[in-house]
Protein backbone atom coordinates (compact mmCIF):
# COMPACT_ATOMS: atom_id res chain seq x y z
CA UNK A 1 0.00 0.00 0.00
CA UNK A 2 1.47 3.36 -1.03
CA UNK A 3 2.19 6.18 1.41
CA UNK A 4 -0.25 8.39 -0.53
CA UNK A 5 -2.99 5.80 -0.08
CA UNK A 6 -2.28 5.62 3.66
CA UNK A 7 -2.43 9.40 3.90
CA UNK A 8 -5.73 9.47 2.03
CA UNK A 9 -7.21 6.88 4.39
CA UNK A 10 -6.00 8.85 7.39
CA UNK A 11 -7.58 12.04 6.06
CA UNK A 12 -10.85 10.19 5.52
CA UNK A 13 -10.78 8.87 9.08
CA UNK A 14 -10.11 12.36 10.48
CA UNK A 15 -12.90 13.85 8.37
CA UNK A 16 -15.29 11.21 9.64
CA UNK A 17 -14.40 11.87 13.27
CA UNK A 18 -14.70 15.65 12.81
CA UNK A 19 -18.19 15.15 11.38
CA UNK A 20 -19.16 13.07 14.41
CA UNK A 21 -17.76 15.71 16.76
CA UNK A 22 -19.97 18.32 15.11
CA UNK A 23 -22.95 15.97 15.37
CA UNK A 24 -22.23 15.56 19.06
CA UNK A 25 -21.92 19.34 19.38
CA UNK A 26 -25.29 19.85 17.74
CA UNK A 27 -26.86 17.39 20.15
CA UNK A 28 -25.49 19.07 23.28
CA UNK A 29 -26.48 22.48 21.92
CA UNK A 30 -30.01 21.12 21.54
CA UNK A 31 -29.83 19.74 25.08
CA UNK A 32 -29.04 23.15 26.54
CA UNK A 33 -31.85 24.81 24.57
CA UNK A 34 -34.33 22.16 25.67
CA UNK A 35 -33.23 22.42 29.30
CA UNK A 36 -33.87 26.16 29.31
CA UNK A 37 -37.22 25.66 27.58
CA UNK A 38 -38.13 23.15 30.29
CA UNK A 39 -37.20 25.71 32.95
CA UNK A 40 -39.05 28.57 31.29
CA UNK A 41 -42.27 26.60 30.96
CA UNK A 42 -41.81 24.27 33.97
CA UNK A 43 -42.18 21.35 31.56
CA UNK A 44 -41.22 17.97 33.00
CA UNK A 45 -41.59 16.12 29.68
CA UNK A 46 -38.97 18.30 28.01
CA UNK A 47 -36.68 17.89 31.03
CA UNK A 48 -36.98 14.12 30.65
CA UNK A 49 -35.98 14.38 26.98
CA UNK A 50 -32.82 16.22 27.98
CA UNK A 51 -31.89 13.37 30.32
CA UNK A 52 -32.55 10.83 27.56
CA UNK A 53 -30.19 12.71 25.24
CA UNK A 54 -27.50 12.62 27.94
CA UNK A 55 -27.13 8.87 27.49
CA UNK A 56 -26.60 9.32 23.76
CA UNK A 57 -24.02 12.07 24.31
CA UNK A 58 -22.08 9.87 26.73
CA UNK A 59 -22.11 7.00 24.23
CA UNK A 60 -20.90 9.28 21.44
CA UNK A 61 -18.00 10.53 23.56
CA UNK A 62 -16.89 6.99 24.38
CA UNK A 63 -17.16 5.83 20.77
CA UNK A 64 -15.20 8.77 19.35
CA UNK A 65 -12.58 8.47 22.09
CA UNK A 66 -12.12 4.77 21.29
CA UNK A 67 -11.69 5.55 17.60
CA UNK A 68 -9.12 8.25 18.40
CA UNK A 69 -7.11 5.77 20.45
CA UNK A 70 -7.27 3.22 17.62
CA UNK A 71 -6.09 5.79 15.07
CA UNK A 72 -3.14 6.83 17.25
CA UNK A 73 -2.11 3.20 17.76
CA UNK A 74 -2.54 2.23 14.10
CA UNK A 75 -1.31 5.33 12.28
CA UNK A 76 1.37 6.60 14.67
CA UNK A 77 0.62 10.17 13.52
CA UNK A 78 3.21 12.90 13.14
CA UNK A 79 3.38 15.80 15.60
CA UNK A 80 0.86 18.00 13.74
CA UNK A 81 -1.66 15.21 13.27
CA UNK A 82 -1.21 14.07 16.85
CA UNK A 83 -1.94 17.62 17.99
CA UNK A 84 -5.21 17.52 16.07
CA UNK A 85 -6.21 14.19 17.62
CA UNK A 86 -5.41 15.40 21.13
CA UNK A 87 -7.42 18.57 20.55
CA UNK A 88 -10.39 16.54 19.29
CA UNK A 89 -10.20 14.37 22.40
CA UNK A 90 -10.33 17.45 24.62
CA UNK A 91 -13.14 18.89 22.50
CA UNK A 92 -15.42 15.89 22.97
CA UNK A 93 -14.63 15.93 26.69
CA UNK A 94 -15.84 19.51 26.89
CA UNK A 95 -18.94 18.71 24.85
CA UNK A 96 -19.79 15.84 27.17
CA UNK A 97 -19.54 18.19 30.13
CA UNK A 98 -21.87 20.66 28.40
CA UNK A 99 -24.34 17.79 28.20
CA UNK A 100 -23.81 17.20 31.92
CA UNK A 101 -24.67 20.83 32.66
CA UNK A 102 -27.84 20.61 30.56
CA UNK A 103 -28.82 17.47 32.45
CA UNK A 104 -28.19 19.28 35.74
CA UNK A 105 -30.61 22.01 34.69
CA UNK A 106 -33.19 19.42 33.64
CA UNK A 107 -32.96 17.64 37.01
CA UNK A 108 -33.43 20.97 38.76
CA UNK A 109 -36.57 21.60 36.71
CA UNK A 110 -37.90 18.21 37.73
CA UNK A 111 -37.17 18.96 41.38
CA UNK A 112 -38.93 22.35 41.17
CA UNK A 113 -41.99 20.72 39.62
CA UNK A 114 -42.03 17.89 42.17
CA UNK A 115 -41.83 20.33 45.09
CA UNK A 116 -44.81 22.27 43.75
CA UNK A 117 -43.04 25.50 42.85
CA UNK A 118 -45.44 27.56 40.78
CA UNK A 119 -44.33 29.06 37.49
CA UNK A 120 -46.09 32.21 38.72
CA UNK A 121 -43.66 32.58 41.62
CA UNK A 122 -41.71 35.80 41.16
CA UNK A 123 -38.29 34.60 40.00
CA UNK A 124 -35.90 35.98 37.34
CA UNK A 125 -36.31 33.04 34.96
CA UNK A 126 -36.12 35.40 31.97
CA UNK A 127 -32.67 36.53 33.16
CA UNK A 128 -31.55 32.92 33.28
CA UNK A 129 -32.86 32.48 29.74
CA UNK A 130 -30.89 35.52 28.59
CA UNK A 131 -27.69 34.14 30.13
CA UNK A 132 -28.43 30.80 28.45
CA UNK A 133 -28.86 32.57 25.11
CA UNK A 134 -25.39 34.07 25.42
CA UNK A 135 -23.87 30.72 26.39
CA UNK A 136 -25.55 28.75 23.59
CA UNK A 137 -24.54 31.41 21.06
CA UNK A 138 -20.92 31.01 22.20
CA UNK A 139 -21.20 27.23 21.95
CA UNK A 140 -22.64 27.46 18.44
CA UNK A 141 -19.91 29.86 17.38
CA UNK A 142 -17.21 27.62 18.90
CA UNK A 143 -18.53 24.65 16.94
CA UNK A 144 -18.52 26.76 13.78
CA UNK A 145 -14.92 27.75 14.49
CA UNK A 146 -14.04 24.06 14.88
CA UNK A 147 -15.77 23.13 11.62
CA UNK A 148 -13.86 25.78 9.67
CA UNK A 149 -10.72 25.91 11.86
CA UNK A 150 -11.37 29.65 12.09
CA UNK A 151 -9.17 31.31 14.71
CA UNK A 152 -10.89 34.69 14.42
CA UNK A 153 -14.26 33.18 15.30
CA UNK A 154 -12.57 31.27 18.12
CA UNK A 155 -11.17 34.57 19.42
CA UNK A 156 -14.67 36.08 19.42
CA UNK A 157 -15.85 33.19 21.61
CA UNK A 158 -13.01 33.75 24.05
CA UNK A 159 -13.80 37.46 24.26
CA UNK A 160 -17.52 36.84 24.82
CA UNK A 161 -16.85 34.76 27.94
CA UNK A 162 -16.50 37.93 30.01
CA UNK A 163 -20.02 38.98 29.01
CA UNK A 164 -21.44 35.64 30.19
CA UNK A 165 -19.53 35.97 33.48
CA UNK A 166 -20.88 39.50 33.99
CA UNK A 167 -24.45 38.30 33.32
CA UNK A 168 -23.96 35.52 35.87
CA UNK A 169 -22.70 37.98 38.49
CA UNK A 170 -25.69 40.25 37.88
CA UNK A 171 -28.09 37.34 38.18
CA UNK A 172 -26.53 36.35 41.51
CA UNK A 173 -27.14 39.83 42.88
CA UNK A 174 -30.73 39.76 41.68
CA UNK A 175 -31.40 36.35 43.25
CA UNK A 176 -29.99 37.52 46.57
CA UNK A 177 -32.37 40.50 46.44
CA UNK A 178 -35.32 38.22 45.70
CA UNK A 179 -34.48 36.01 48.67
CA UNK A 180 -34.14 38.97 51.01
CA UNK A 181 -37.43 40.52 49.86
CA UNK A 182 -39.51 37.32 49.80
CA UNK A 183 -38.40 34.34 51.93
CA UNK A 184 -40.80 32.11 49.98
CA UNK A 185 -38.42 32.29 47.03
CA UNK A 186 -35.34 31.10 48.94
CA UNK A 187 -35.50 27.42 48.02
CA UNK A 188 -36.33 28.03 44.36
CA UNK A 189 -33.78 30.85 44.15
CA UNK A 190 -31.05 28.53 45.39
CA UNK A 191 -32.02 26.08 42.65
CA UNK A 192 -31.74 28.91 40.12
CA UNK A 193 -28.27 29.74 41.45
CA UNK A 194 -27.16 26.23 40.47
CA UNK A 195 -28.91 26.57 37.10
CA UNK A 196 -27.17 29.88 36.43
CA UNK A 197 -23.82 28.36 37.41
CA UNK A 198 -24.42 25.42 35.08
CA UNK A 199 -25.10 27.83 32.22
CA UNK A 200 -22.00 29.86 33.09
CA UNK A 201 -20.01 26.62 32.81
CA UNK A 202 -21.48 26.02 29.35
CA UNK A 203 -19.87 29.33 28.40
CA UNK A 204 -16.59 28.16 29.94
CA UNK A 205 -16.68 24.97 27.89
CA UNK A 206 -17.41 26.96 24.73
CA UNK A 207 -14.31 29.01 25.51
CA UNK A 208 -12.33 25.79 25.98
CA UNK A 209 -13.49 24.57 22.56
CA UNK A 210 -12.34 27.84 21.00
CA UNK A 211 -8.93 27.49 22.64
CA UNK A 212 -8.58 24.01 21.13
CA UNK A 213 -9.28 25.43 17.66
CA UNK A 214 -6.39 27.86 18.10
CA UNK A 215 -4.21 25.01 19.36
CA UNK A 216 -4.99 22.96 16.25
CA UNK A 217 -4.25 25.81 13.85
CA UNK A 218 -1.35 27.58 15.59
CA UNK A 219 0.13 24.81 17.71
CA UNK A 220 0.08 27.12 20.74
CA UNK A 221 -1.69 26.41 24.01
CA UNK A 222 -3.53 29.67 24.76
CA UNK A 223 -5.28 28.57 27.94
CA UNK A 224 -5.05 30.94 30.92
CA UNK A 225 -4.14 33.88 28.68
CA UNK A 226 -6.05 37.13 28.33
CA UNK A 227 -7.99 37.75 25.10
CA UNK A 228 -5.43 40.41 24.13
CA UNK A 229 -2.59 37.90 24.41
CA UNK A 230 -4.57 35.32 22.42
CA UNK A 231 -5.26 37.92 19.73
CA UNK A 232 -1.55 38.67 19.42
CA UNK A 233 -0.82 34.95 19.01
CA UNK A 234 -3.22 34.36 16.13
CA UNK A 235 -2.14 37.42 14.13
Amino acid sequence: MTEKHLSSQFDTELSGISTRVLEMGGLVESQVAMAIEALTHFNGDIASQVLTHEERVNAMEMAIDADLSAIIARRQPTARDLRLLIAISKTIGNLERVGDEAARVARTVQRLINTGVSSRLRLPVSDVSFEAGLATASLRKALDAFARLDTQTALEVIKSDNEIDAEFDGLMRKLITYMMEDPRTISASIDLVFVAKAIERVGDHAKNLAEQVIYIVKGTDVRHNTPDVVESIIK
Side-chain angles (χ1 to χ4, degrees):
M1 186 176 290
T2 66
E3 184 176 339
K4 183 177 181 180
H5 190 191
L6 285 171
S7 176
S8 177
Q9 280 190 336
F10 183 49
D11 289 343
T12 299
E13 289 173 344
L14 287 179
S15 177
I17 284 181
S18 295
T19 298
R20 289 160 62 197
V21 170
L22 291 172
E23 180 186 352
M24 182 180 176
L27 183 58
V28 297
E29 183 184 335
S30 173
Q31 266 190 294
V32 175
M34 290 170 63
I36 298 307
E37 183 180 357
L39 176 66
T40 302
H41 300 289
F42 282 79
N43 190 310
D45 291 337
I46 296 176
S48 295
Q49 290 178 46
V50 174
L51 298 177
T52 299
H53 285 334
E54 183 187 22
E55 298 175 6
R56 184 180 167 197
V57 169
N58 292 343
M60 291 178 76
E61 183 203 17
M62 293 179 66
I64 295 172
D65 213 25
D67 286 347
L68 288 172
S69 297
I71 289 174
I72 292 172
R74 187 172 64 252
R75 300 295 186 191
Q76 297 182 348
T78 59
R80 186 179 185 281
D81 291 332
L82 183 60
R83 186 169 76 231
L84 172 61
L85 294 170
I86 291 172
I88 289 175
S89 180
K90 291 181 178 179
T91 294
I92 62 172
N94 276 283
L95 288 174
E96 190 274 334
R97 285 189 283 278
V98 171
D100 287 344
E101 301 301 344
R104 186 169 290 112
V105 174
R107 292 189 185 97
T108 300
V109 171
Q110 290 180 332
R111 184 166 59 252
L112 288 170
I113 293 172
N114 292 336
T115 54
V117 173
S118 171
S119 59
R120 295 186 300 274
L121 191 63
R122 194 171 70 96
L123 287 171
V125 173
S126 61
D127 295 76
V128 177
S129 298
F130 181 76
E131 182 198 10
L134 294 176
T136 52
S138 286
L139 177 61
R140 190 178 306 115
K141 189 174 284 189
L143 290 168
D144 182 54
F146 174 82
R148 297 185 291 113
L149 293 181
D150 183 343
T151 57
Q152 285 297 328
T153 300
L155 177 63
E156 291 174 14
V157 174
I158 292 170
K159 288 182 175 180
S160 68
D161 188 57
N162 289 334
E163 184 180 0
I164 298 171
D165 291 343
E167 188 64 28
F168 171 76
D169 291 341
L171 184 53
M172 290 303 97
R173 290 191 294 270
K174 183 171 287 189
L175 285 169
I176 290 171
T177 301
Y178 273 56
M179 288 186 279
M180 291 174 64
E181 291 179 349
D182 186 353
R184 294 177 303 164
T185 68
I186 289 176
S187 179
S189 291
I190 291 172
D191 279 325
L192 281 188
V193 167
F194 288 110
V195 167
K197 186 60 181 176
I199 294 168
E200 190 263 342
R201 288 191 183 118
V202 170
D204 288 341
H205 291 306
K207 178 184 176 184
N208 293 345
L209 295 179
E211 290 170 345
Q212 290 307 313
V213 170
I214 294 172
Y215 177 66
I216 292 170
V217 176
K218 295 294 183 179
T220 302
D221 188 345
V222 297
R223 291 175 298 174
H224 313 302
N225 282 299
T226 65
D228 288 343
V229 172
V230 176
E231 188 168 12
S232 69
I233 289 171
I234 67 174
K235 282 183 176 179

